[in-house]
Structures are given as C-alpha cells and as structure tokens.
Amino acid sequence: MAHELPVQLVLSHDLSVSIPAALQYDADDPYAVRAVFRPLDQGGTVEWFLSRDMLAQALSEHTGHGDVRMWPTSDSGRDVVRMVLSSPAGSALLNFPAQGVESFLRETRSAVPPGTESSRFDLDTELAQLLAEN
C-alpha cells in the first residue's frame, strides 16, 4: 500500500518547497515503512526505511536517533511530523502532514495489527537467507 503525501522540504526558517513523496507499507515486511521522495531537480527517487512504530510514536513525541529523528510540531497552523534525515551526503529537514501520517498508519494497522507483526515474519527463513548470501 502506498500513500502519497505533500511533504515540505525546509530550506530555511522562511523557505520550504513541496516535494512529491509517498509512504509505502508491505505486510510481508511488517516492521518497516518506506519513505519515497522524488526530488524535483533529479531523476529517480530517494528512499529511506523507517520503523512503523517510530513513525507512530512521532505523532505524539520526539523519537529516533542517529540518521532518523522525528517529532510532532505545528507549521503555519498545521500539525506536522517533522523529520530529519541525515547521511554522509548531507541532511534534510522535512514536514509531513500529521493527518496524512495518521491515515497511512491506520491503513497499515488494518493490514497488520500492532503486536501481530512476528506472525508475518519467519525469522528462521530470513536468517538462513542472510547467512546464504555471505
């Protein structure tokens, strides 16, 4: 399932630009959410994998560490989930509409209710595949 969102890339205190983005969820990878961005000045996409639980937590409190940090805030009177993504190439400050994130998470919970993720995940098979790749 995919949910298109109007994400704002914050360039400065006074300037932000809208970039096409989507949150994607696959019930076969029940712990993860894929954030897909399509930068306007580049071909292709930029993808980040996020924890579904961490994204849900970001609706009410500061969460994350290292390369991904998120928290709820308001921007121009709208509730947003602010996200900072950091990599060796640089960092980005993004605003996701909180209502869109909530709607997306509701859909994921319908597909895989919280607490049932492990029933969709065969740890032995995944571990065997990882070991076979090495």
Side-chain angles (χ1 to χ4, degrees):
M1 78 183 53
H3 200 90
E4 298 287 326
L5 296 170
V7 172
Q8 295 293 312
L9 173 63
V10 180
L11 302 173
S12 72
H13 181 67
D14 298 323
L15 180 64
S16 64
V17 295
S18 185
I19 61 170
L23 295 176
Q24 298 177 349
Y25 185 75
D26 181 350
D28 291 332
D29 190 4
Y31 295 103
V33 168
R34 179 182 296 178
V36 181
F37 306 98
R38 287 176 283 294
L40 300 174
D41 61 342
Q42 302 174 13
T45 61
V46 176
E47 298 182 2
W48 282 75
F49 285 89
L50 312 169
S51 159
R52 179 172 78 158
D53 289 343
M54 191 168 70
L55 186 60
Q57 187 178 2
L59 288 166
S60 61
E61 63 184 308
H62 195 283
T63 186
H65 49 80
D67 295 344
V68 179
R69 291 176 285 128
M70 297 181 264
W71 63 94
T73 191
S74 292
D75 183 50
S76 301
R78 296 178 322 142
D79 290 336
V80 298
V81 172
R82 185 157 288 166
M83 185 181 301
V84 175
L85 302 175
S86 301
S87 76
S91 62
L93 177 61
L94 303 154
N95 287 337
F96 286 76
Q99 188 175 23
V101 172
E102 287 179 60
S103 175
F104 170 76
L105 288 170
R106 240 186 332 272
E107 290 178 30
T108 72
R109 291 179 188 123
S110 292
V112 180
T116 66
E117 295 93 347
S118 63
S119 68
R120 309 276 310 197
F121 191 74
D122 184 351
L123 183 59
D124 292 334
T125 300
E126 295 294 326
L127 198 54
Q129 286 177 349
L130 282 173
L131 293 173
E133 292 174 8
N134 290 325

